[in-house]
Amino acid sequence: MVSNEKTPLLDIRDLTVRFYTSDGVVQAVNGVSYQMFEGETLGIVGESGCGKSVHARSIMRLIPIPPGKIEKGEIRYDGRDLLKLPTNEMYKIRGPEIAMVFQDPMTFLNPVLTVGFQIVEAIKLHRNVDEKEAYSMAGELLTLVGIPEARERLNDYPHQFSGGMRQRAMIAMSLSCNPRLLIADEPTTALDVTIQAQIVDLVKRLQQQMGMAVMWITHDLGVAASLVKKINVMYAGYLVERGNVKNIYKHPLHPYTQGLLASLPRIDQAPGSKLFSIPGNPPNLIGLPQGCPFVPRCLYATDQCREANPSLEPTDDEGHTVACWHWHKVAQQSLV
């Protein structure tokens, strides 16, 4: 019998990451598992410090060691466990297979080298082309990401680009080797709303043209809704809810997801209405309690929640999973 199941492009199993500091052990990522398929768009959402970026940098093997350490788990890309590959093999993965766009392009673009030189270096590193052809390709990439007079701008330095243009240049560099998976780590955070929308539309268009899978990491649920088809919600290093974006936004089943969505402004709210806010503070990742980490802020918490942390379980909707003992009760309530 021939199986109809697709092979995942990315298969993360029980990923656990720790940082050993003078204050204690930071439990940054705690047993995260999920799959991502060819051409899929996936959003990773949650508040700052929930493990979104650490988990993504673990995929790229960019965790600083020390103080960081990937304690256990598997990150299977196209069937190969990236955590077991030698360093020289990972160089072949970064760029041609998996590319990453970072939050602040000024941090990752060298200020004393021209933008064109930096894109050309990325092209020459992974493609068998000469200098002239590489510069021609770099110009085409800047044109592709919407930078006007692209070939002339190759000789400009990063400080001569606006914030939005620098982010476009970073995207061009990431696309220089036609990756199968693009990881965008909060690429619009430092940009104004108009430029944010342009970058989101750009990535959406490029994803459709190139057929690559896109992982979009953000704390902005509005941005995620306009771009991705599936959502992973993270809290305190745990994956607490996962599913189709429409199902989760319409029927959030974890109290944290419900609180995040309720805190968004709505056009149908009465003027002067107060936004909902999740009570309490984000947890300290040094010394998390044994139960559910959301207990101190949860409206539904019971002794069961304090004693044991639930694992992800399937719900009534196909593909929708949630880590909550009381998700049936949450489903019947609304914070909006």
Side-chain angles (χ1 to χ4, degrees), residues 71-103:
E71 293 281 3
K72 63 177 180 177
E74 297 179 8
I75 301 176
R76 293 190 172 276
Y77 172 79
D78 205 19
R80 293 174 292 173
D81 188 354
L82 300 183
L83 299 182
K84 294 181 179 179
L85 291 184
T87 302
N88 63 325
E89 288 296 316
M90 271 307 298
Y91 287 144
K92 299 176 184 177
I93 296 292
R94 298 190 195 109
E97 297 289 336
I98 308 175
M100 194 164 185
V101 180
F102 296 94
Q103 181 173 341

Side-chain angles (χ1 to χ4, degrees), residues 178-247:
N178 293 325
R180 295 171 66 190
L181 170 61
L182 178 69
I183 301 174
D185 187 5
E186 303 208 44
T188 62
T189 298
L191 306 175
D192 63 56
V193 176
T194 304
I195 305 302
Q196 280 187 18
Q198 292 176 2
I199 296 297
V200 170
D201 287 342
L202 169 65
V203 172
K204 191 185 300 185
R205 175 170 56 83
L206 293 173
Q207 190 270 339
Q208 292 171 351
Q209 287 179 0
M210 304 174 69
M212 61 186 174
V214 174
M215 181 187 295
W216 188 276
I217 300 168
T218 183
H219 61 268
D220 189 327
L221 278 77
V223 169
S226 66
L227 179 66
V228 306
K229 291 187 177 179
K230 289 187 177 179
I231 285 278
N232 285 357
V233 183
M234 291 189 68
Y235 185 81
Y238 291 94
L239 184 55
V240 297
E241 191 163 5
R242 171 173 165 81
N244 180 282
V245 66
K246 291 183 180 179
N247 291 342

